[in-house]
Amino acid sequence: MNKSPGLIGTLVFGAVLLGGVGYAGFHLANDLAGTRLESIWPYVLLGVALLIALGFEFVNGFHDTANAVATVIYTHSLEPNIAVVWSGMWNLIGVLTSSGGVAFSIITLLPVELILQVGKGAGFAMVFALLISAIIWNLSTWALGLPASSSHTLIGSIIGVGIMNQLMGGHNGTSGVDWTQVSNVFRVLLISPLVGFGCAALLLLLLKVLVKNPALYESPKGTEPPPFWIRGLLILTCTGVSFGHGSNDGQKGMGLIMLILIGTVPTAYALNHAIGFSQVPDFAAVSEQAAKVLSGYVSQNAVMDDARADLTEYIRTKQFTPTTALAARQLAIDISNEVQQYKSLAGIPGSQQQNARNDMYVESETLRLMAKSNTPAFSASDNAVLTNYKKHLDNATKFIPNWVKVAVALALGLGTMVGWKRIVVTVGEKIGKEHLTYAQGASAEIVAACTIIAADQFKMPVSTTHVLSSGIAGTMMANGSGLQLSTIRNIALAWVFTLPAAALLAGCIFWLLRQVVH
């Protein structure tokens, strides 16, 4: 594990890095080519914000991607430099093929008023507070060699910002946090390590019944690689975890990067400009169908002030009123009229792009909450119309350019190259009382890959770190190897304290930034 990448490895990775940076830079410049801003300040702010966001993904690579390569490096199945490049490639494939659902499920945890103000001081304070607090906590736990969770850290930061936002606004201190959404995400983060522990233990026991070759159940000896077929198995499981990590964890920073892009250059990124002349008639028709459906649920006594403001209040409080259906219908009509007037989303004037996006975002969130609460109780046919309408709205606002995905994958790969060793040693030697065997590593990684990829399909964030480390612990128990209680205690303490520590950090940073950013 002390070998350097070597000249060839360094040149290959350098070429990949330069190519990726060039690709991302070219497409970013191309997107901004048609943008005319009054000053250079938004560009400076964009550059700083992107560096911090990619810094978060870089530090994420210390933890989560290092877990993906831990077993192949520890068992000498691959040289560290080759393992990192291989893992980075499959992270990139996972990122590029991801739906973006996890990225935007993270965003829905944020206070809606801050999302709608993402181009103003409060919105930027929110994004910077989330990223800076997450980086500080991840670096702190990495320095101790603890497999802490970037997902936990980010969610804790979101809770801290939401609570502080409401405290500063003079409202109930917890009303700015969507606790229902947070509880759903936290439930997944809680259950997934238990799944990793139990399933990895069962898989190891099953392997012992089905595969009698003793070589599979040995720990690495010296620097010798395992037999070829075991190397192939471990490389395959590393590939699965890397792909799953890219498709899930890689999305967490992408959602925040999109908020940064929307806030600094809304003309280019507030709306999906790929929706052009040919798609607009369908978009408008679907909007009109949705408005007609919603008309059937509008109370005769309903009185509306401002459609977006009324729906924003509904999203914040989750309290359905007669005004809600009326406002949703009116906003659907307004959205239909706007897209028909300008013929394409790119044709909407730059000064109105942010407003158009906010209308679509609020309408989509309203439809999501209505469906979730079953209030009003839509018929099956009406629900199908509204579901189709929401899909069109999300396609217009919840998109991630390929250059963002490439930049995130590169940041993850760089982080892994710098910080992999601490996590690899913890996973290989410090969880169990005996060194990790080939079968244990394969069992833990198979379970981790399946768990992460399954969570991605449900658009739920999970922690690669916790699933894999708990899987290793499960195999140690099943193998009768015993656990190093000091390491398990430290990992458990990191798991327990990550949420409140990240929340406190983010809340304090948000408060400080709000004092200086206007």
Side-chain angles (χ1 to χ4, degrees):
M1 289 193 288
N2 293 321
K3 290 183 179 180
S4 64
L7 179 61
I8 295 178
T10 301
L11 290 175
V12 170
F13 187 80
V16 172
L17 180 62
L18 287 175
V21 170
Y23 174 85
F26 172 79
H27 284 276
L28 175 60
N30 190 52
D31 291 342
L32 298 180
T35 303
R36 296 290 181 269
L37 300 178
E38 297 178 358
S39 71
I40 197 173
W41 170 243
Y43 294 111
V44 173
L45 188 60
L46 173 62
V48 172
L50 283 178
L51 281 175
I52 295 176
L54 292 174
F56 165 73
E57 292 296 349
F58 175 77
V59 176
N60 187 3
F62 283 20
H63 280 288
D64 293 20
T65 316
N67 282 280
V69 298
T71 54
V72 288
I73 292 176
Y74 180 78
T75 60
H76 312 294
S77 297
L78 286 176
E79 295 288 342
N81 54 305
I82 298 175
V84 168
V85 173
W86 179 259
S87 176
M89 181 181 72
W90 283 98
N91 263 283
L92 174 61
I93 295 172
V95 168
L96 290 176
T97 57
S98 64
S99 64
V102 174
F104 294 108
S105 71
I106 289 286
I107 289 178
T108 60
L109 301 177
L110 295 165
V112 62
E113 63 268 24
L114 291 183
I115 295 176
L116 299 182
Q117 298 176 42
V118 71
K120 301 179 182 178
F124 283 117
M126 170 191 69
V127 173
F128 281 118
L130 293 175
L131 292 171
I132 293 171
S133 62
I135 289 172
I136 291 173
W137 183 253
N138 276 348
L139 280 175
S140 301
T141 52
W142 168 82
L144 297 173
L146 295 177
S149 167
S150 297
S151 303
H152 248 127
T153 305
L154 191 56
I155 291 167
S157 299
I158 288 171
I159 292 174
V161 167
I163 292 175
M164 182 57 71
N165 178 62
Q166 289 305 307
L167 287 173
M168 294 177 68
H171 300 296
N172 184 323
T174 59
S175 63
V177 179
D178 188 342
W179 290 108
T180 302
Q181 279 288 91
V182 169
S183 63
N184 289 337
V185 171
F186 190 72
R187 193 178 299 117
V188 174
L189 291 176
L190 177 63
I191 293 173
S192 55
L194 301 177
V195 171
F197 184 94
C199 292
L202 291 174
L203 182 56
L204 178 64
L205 294 175
L206 183 62
L207 281 176
K208 287 187 173 184
V209 173
L210 298 178
V211 182
K212 300 298 184 179
N213 193 322
L216 185 60
Y217 308 103
E218 296 177 352
S219 58
K221 293 180 175 62
T223 59
E224 291 298 316
F228 180 78
W229 68 277
I230 295 179
R231 290 184 73 183
L233 173 64
L234 291 169
I235 292 170
L236 181 63
T237 58
C238 166
T239 302
V241 175
S242 300
F243 175 82
H245 177 265
S247 68
N248 193 283
D249 278 50
Q251 296 188 51
K252 291 160 191 170
M254 290 193 293
L256 295 178
I257 289 175
M258 288 310 300
L259 285 181
I260 292 167
L261 293 171
I262 291 165
T264 51
V265 279
T267 304
Y269 295 107
L271 296 172
N272 186 358
H273 292 175
I275 298 178
F277 296 100
S278 59
Q279 292 94 351
V280 161
D282 178 54
F283 192 107
V286 171
S287 301
E288 291 170 0
Q289 289 174 359
K292 185 177 180 180
V293 165
L294 290 167
S295 296
Y297 298 88
V298 174
S299 170
Q300 293 182 349
N301 300 322
V303 177
M304 182 186 67
D305 182 16
D306 177 86
R308 190 205 295 171
D310 290 337
L311 294 186
T312 300
E313 182 67 12
Y314 167 65
I315 294 169
R316 191 181 72 82
T317 63
K318 313 296 186 298
Q319 299 297 316
F320 183 86
T321 67
T323 302
T324 306
L326 176 61
R329 182 190 69 178
Q330 184 58 49
L331 208 55
I333 293 171
D334 292 344
I335 291 170
S336 175
N337 291 338
E338 191 162 34
V339 296
Q340 288 186 87
Q341 177 183 354
Y342 295 109
K343 310 302 182 186
S344 70
L345 297 190
I348 297 175
S351 59
Q352 298 179 34
Q353 291 258 334
Q354 181 75 64
N355 282 332
R357 175 194 175 271
N358 285 347
D359 284 346
M360 293 180 187
Y361 178 84
V362 166
E363 183 81 347
S364 174
E365 283 298 289
T366 296
L367 295 177
R368 179 182 69 82
L369 292 174
M370 285 180 175
K372 186 175 181 179
S373 64
N374 198 31
T375 306
F378 296 113
S379 66
S381 58
D382 289 347
N383 189 60
V385 170
L386 295 178
T387 299
N388 186 40
Y389 180 41
K390 184 180 185 307
K391 186 182 298 183
H392 280 71
L393 291 171
D394 290 345
N395 190 34
T397 59
K398 298 180 179 180
F399 65 100
I400 300 174
N402 282 334
W403 72 261
V404 172
K405 297 181 178 182
V406 170
V408 165
L410 286 173
L412 286 171
L414 276 173
T416 307
M417 289 192 71
V418 172
W420 59 268
K421 189 177 294 184
R422 287 178 182 269
I423 303 300
V424 167
V425 171
T426 297
V427 169
E429 300 181 7
K430 295 186 177 180
I431 293 179
K433 291 183 178 179
E434 298 178 4
H435 286 196
L436 187 74
T437 68
Y438 305 127
Q440 288 174 319
S443 299
E445 287 206 321
I446 289 171
V447 170
C450 293
T451 303
I452 297 165
I453 293 171
D456 187 45
Q457 300 306 307
F458 290 100
K459 301 179 181 179
M460 297 299 291
V462 294
S463 168
T464 301
T465 301
H466 286 153
V467 174
L468 185 61
S469 57
S470 63
I472 297 292
T475 62
M476 290 291 177
M477 289 292 289
N479 200 45
S481 305
L483 299 173
Q484 293 194 40
L485 295 182
S486 59
T487 302
I488 300 300
R489 182 194 63 229
N490 290 339
I491 292 175
L493 287 175
W495 192 94
V496 170
F497 285 112
T498 289
L499 211 65
L504 181 62
L505 268 173
C508 292
I509 295 171
F510 179 73
W511 178 87
L512 182 62
L513 291 174
R514 291 293 288 127
Q515 307 309 305
V516 297
V517 178
H518 301 286

